[in-house]
Amino acid sequence: MELYWQHGPMFVRELQEHYAEPRPHFNTLSTLVRILEKHGFLDHRQIGNSYQYYPLVTEKEYGRSSIAGVIKNYFGDSYLSAVSSFVKEEKISVDELKELIREIENA
């Protein structure tokens, strides 16, 4: 997705050129692009016999949907469970959590 946001509409072959060597196989990228399209992140327009793909969502929208998917799939759709897990695993301290709450309350 990042490459589409940076470079705009591209054919899969053009997308492949933006990767460093060893580049992913064309078929692998084609499959990934079609999955992103199926999930509503990309769309395409036919030009000749090829498809040029372009993003349907912004980076912000994509990030929100990705986070929501993680919360739904791994935390039973509970944001409280997700935050609690971060605290328990010491990924965020209680003091940081209190600071975050203060920031939210003051916003």
Side-chain angles (χ1 to χ4, degrees):
M1 286 301 302
E2 194 167 311
L3 289 171
Y4 279 102
W5 292 317
Q6 289 173 1
H7 302 284
M10 288 185 285
F11 298 95
V12 174
R13 184 73 61 206
E14 293 172 311
L15 177 65
Q16 187 181 35
E17 292 170 9
H18 288 286
Y19 283 89
E21 293 290 345
R23 291 187 170 111
H25 193 274
F26 177 88
N27 291 343
T28 301
L29 285 178
S30 182
T31 299
L32 290 172
V33 165
R34 281 182 279 138
I35 289 169
L36 289 168
E37 183 178 31
K38 178 182 172 188
H39 288 280
F41 299 119
L42 293 175
D43 201 357
H44 72 272
R45 63 182 137 261
Q46 187 169 354
I47 299 177
N49 292 330
S50 297
Y51 294 113
Q52 185 183 54
Y53 293 89
Y54 56 92
L56 289 177
V57 297
T58 65
E59 289 180 73
K60 188 174 183 177
E61 292 166 331
Y62 184 78
R64 260 191 257 131
S65 70
S66 296
I67 290 169
V70 168
I71 300 296
K72 181 180 179 185
N73 293 327
Y74 295 100
F75 297 101
D77 212 14
S78 168
Y79 284 78
L80 181 60
S81 292
V83 172
S84 177
S85 175
F86 290 135
V87 172
K88 287 177 187 171
E89 293 181 20
E90 299 179 14
K91 302 291 183 193
I92 185 172
S93 70
V94 173
D95 288 336
E96 289 171 320
L97 189 55
K98 288 178 183 176
E99 181 181 335
L100 178 61
I101 292 169
R102 277 192 301 275
E103 288 177 17
I104 293 169
E105 289 176 338
N106 292 330

